[in-house]
Amino acid sequence: MGRSVVKSLSSLSLGSERKVKCYNGYFINGYMFHTKEYGHGRKTYNNDVSVKGSTISELKVDYYGRLEEVVEL
């Protein structure tokens, strides 16, 4: 194994970092999304999200929901 592979495996074995950043929203693909709490009481905001998905058996399973929090791990 290469040196960088061993270093990566060593880092993974220590577990995840304990640092988490929280945000009121995020910007992706030209759209801005805010958390439900941040948008409460504002005239306009976007906190509804959807994710298209499928299962191994080709069954279409889409998710629709509200953005409650944005965290960066």
Side-chain angles (χ1 to χ4, degrees), residues 34-45:
H34 290 106
T35 60
K36 183 179 176 183
E37 181 180 341
Y38 180 83
H40 183 73
R42 297 182 186 273
K43 289 184 180 182
T44 61
Y45 68 97

Side-chain angles (χ1 to χ4, degrees), residues 18-47:
R18 301 290 181 217
K19 299 180 208 171
V20 176
K21 292 183 182 179
C22 298
Y23 299 96
N24 290 324
Y26 71 100
F27 183 79
I28 186 167
N29 297 330
Y31 296 97
M32 183 67 183
F33 295 89
H34 290 106
T35 60
K36 183 179 176 183
E37 181 180 341
Y38 180 83
H40 183 73
R42 297 182 186 273
K43 289 184 180 182
T44 61
Y45 68 97
N46 188 2
N47 68 357

Side-chain angles (χ1 to χ4, degrees), residues 10-73:
S10 176
S11 295
L12 284 173
S13 70
L14 297 174
S16 61
E17 287 190 37
R18 301 290 181 217
K19 299 180 208 171
V20 176
K21 292 183 182 179
C22 298
Y23 299 96
N24 290 324
Y26 71 100
F27 183 79
I28 186 167
N29 297 330
Y31 296 97
M32 183 67 183
F33 295 89
H34 290 106
T35 60
K36 183 179 176 183
E37 181 180 341
Y38 180 83
H40 183 73
R42 297 182 186 273
K43 289 184 180 182
T44 61
Y45 68 97
N46 188 2
N47 68 357
D48 293 324
V49 294
S50 66
V51 177
K52 291 197 175 284
S54 61
T55 63
I56 294 173
S57 64
E58 306 275 333
L59 179 67
K60 300 286 184 197
V61 181
D62 297 340
Y63 170 80
Y64 300 93
R66 295 205 187 271
L67 189 60
E68 297 291 333
E69 64 182 328
V70 179
V71 295
E72 179 182 24
L73 305 174

